[in-house]
Amino acid sequence: MKYKIMMAATLLAGSVTGHTYAADTSPTYVSDWWHQSVNVVGSYHTRFGPQLNNDLYLEYEAFAHKDWFDFYGYVDLPKFFGTGNGNDNGIWDRRKGSPMFMEIEPRFSIDKLTGTSLAFGPFKEWYFANNYIYDMGPNNANRQNTWYMGLGTDIDTGTKLALSMNVYAKYQWQNYGAANENSWDGYRFKIKYMLPLTTLWGGNLSYIGFTNVDWDSDLGEKAGPVRTGNSVASSHILSLSYNHLHYSLVARYFHNGGQWADGSTLNFGQGDFSTRNTGWGYYAVVGYSF
């Protein structure tokens, strides 16, 4: 699971496309700017670790855009249903497996905080961009603590396509015991996109996606041929949104997922196996916005 699909776009599709082709009456939410939902997520063949992973878990998710503050984040509870790849028993048991995985992406508008428009050409607004990831494993060998920081922008495409980009430098604290811990280690380019498609079955159908490109990490040099200095994860999402309910199907392509070199031979004490970190993984999501 280690890094989930960015399903805030699912909710965003409902709020943004509603202005374009509203399918039903205006809903009532707890907040008019802090958009949140509870989701049930099923994943199949995710490739962030050296072995393929399948899981079913509960998630809290939120996104917001207000004045100078732009936010997306989620908290996953991987063991909530007690199903999936091993170590899924006991919701808050930290002896085996992680009870919580969290990712937040706060961005702070440089334009609005300085009172100066930095827009030019298609670049509408600029941000100090962050991406923080934390996996609450029981010890260093099962914990991740990563901070990406850099510059972001929103882009005017002249169409219904919403587009944003961020580029980050990465500081790596814990990383499941890997050799690049406690160091500045590489960079990430993230691009996000959302295109409203049509109304369908009384809801709003959208295509949503994002791609992460990681490069220039020292992990491949420090840890040997089973790890790499680069990786790619690219998600492609069909989202059907209603006032409160939303449904999504996701296909995600991994190249050296989790910076594990595809096709390497490993042995964790139960015999040799070959890593399968390049290929497709899939997700299905059902959520309730409130």
Side-chain angles (χ1 to χ4, degrees), residues 8-278:
T10 303
L11 301 180
L12 184 60
S15 61
V16 172
T17 59
H19 296 293
T20 307
Y21 43 81
D24 38 24
T25 59
S26 297
T28 300
Y29 301 111
V30 173
S31 171
D32 61 357
W33 70 278
W34 184 261
H35 307 281
Q36 55 193 335
S37 73
V38 173
N39 306 322
V40 176
V41 182
S43 64
Y44 177 73
H45 279 187
T46 56
R47 301 169 188 260
F48 283 109
Q51 296 174 301
L52 296 178
N53 191 63
N54 308 317
D55 208 351
L56 179 70
Y57 54 93
L58 189 71
E59 172 183 82
Y60 169 79
E61 185 175 38
F63 79 91
H65 188 95
K66 185 176 179 67
D67 299 328
W68 48 266
F69 183 55
D70 184 79
F71 178 85
Y72 168 73
Y74 63 87
V75 176
D76 289 341
L77 304 179
K79 304 200 294 180
F80 189 87
F81 297 109
T83 59
N85 286 59
N87 296 331
D88 261 358
N89 294 323
I91 299 174
W92 296 109
D93 180 7
R94 294 186 59 186
R95 293 171 296 175
K96 294 183 178 180
S98 174
M100 186 189 78
F101 183 90
M102 178 185 76
E103 179 174 11
I104 59 173
E105 296 182 22
R107 300 196 305 172
F108 307 96
S109 171
I110 301 171
D111 298 52
K112 290 185 171 66
L113 288 172
T114 61
T116 304
S117 175
L118 302 176
F120 67 93
F123 303 101
K124 299 189 296 182
E125 192 169 355
W126 294 86
Y127 300 87
F128 173 50
N130 300 269
N131 188 173
Y132 176 72
I133 300 169
Y134 179 70
D135 188 350
M136 187 193 290
N139 50 49
N140 189 66
N142 295 278
R143 189 176 300 131
Q144 181 184 8
N145 192 351
T146 309
W147 182 20
Y148 297 89
M149 66 200 81
L151 190 65
T153 186
D154 294 333
I155 298 172
D156 185 357
T157 65
T159 69
K160 293 180 180 180
L161 177 67
L163 184 65
S164 69
M165 296 189 301
N166 304 306
V167 61
Y168 312 96
K170 179 180 71 173
Y171 191 82
Q172 185 67 66
W173 285 286
Q174 293 102 328
N175 189 26
Y176 311 111
N180 63 338
E181 292 188 333
N182 300 308
S183 67
W184 290 97
D185 187 62
Y187 305 91
R188 166 172 286 184
F189 172 74
K190 180 190 291 283
I191 184 169
K192 306 177 187 179
Y193 28 88
M194 191 277 286
L195 180 66
L197 297 175
T198 186
T199 56
L200 178 67
W201 301 323
N204 298 320
L205 182 67
S206 299
Y207 165 69
I208 304 155
F210 76 99
T211 298
N212 290 330
V213 180
D214 296 307
W215 80 96
D216 203 31
S217 167
D218 293 331
L219 185 56
E221 296 179 6
K222 291 180 177 179
V226 299
R227 305 304 299 264
T228 71
N230 59 82
S231 66
V232 176
S234 183
S235 292
H236 305 275
I237 305 162
L238 278 178
S239 167
L240 182 62
S241 299
Y242 297 89
N243 281 340
H244 291 286
L245 292 173
H246 54 269
Y247 310 89
S248 297
L249 295 175
V250 184
R252 189 173 208 189
Y253 182 74
F254 298 84
H255 176 72
N256 293 335
Q259 292 182 240
W260 290 92
D262 186 58
S264 299
T265 299
L266 293 173
N267 190 325
F268 289 163
Q270 297 179 333
D272 290 350
F273 68 92
S274 181
T275 58
R276 297 168 61 186
N277 289 84
T278 294

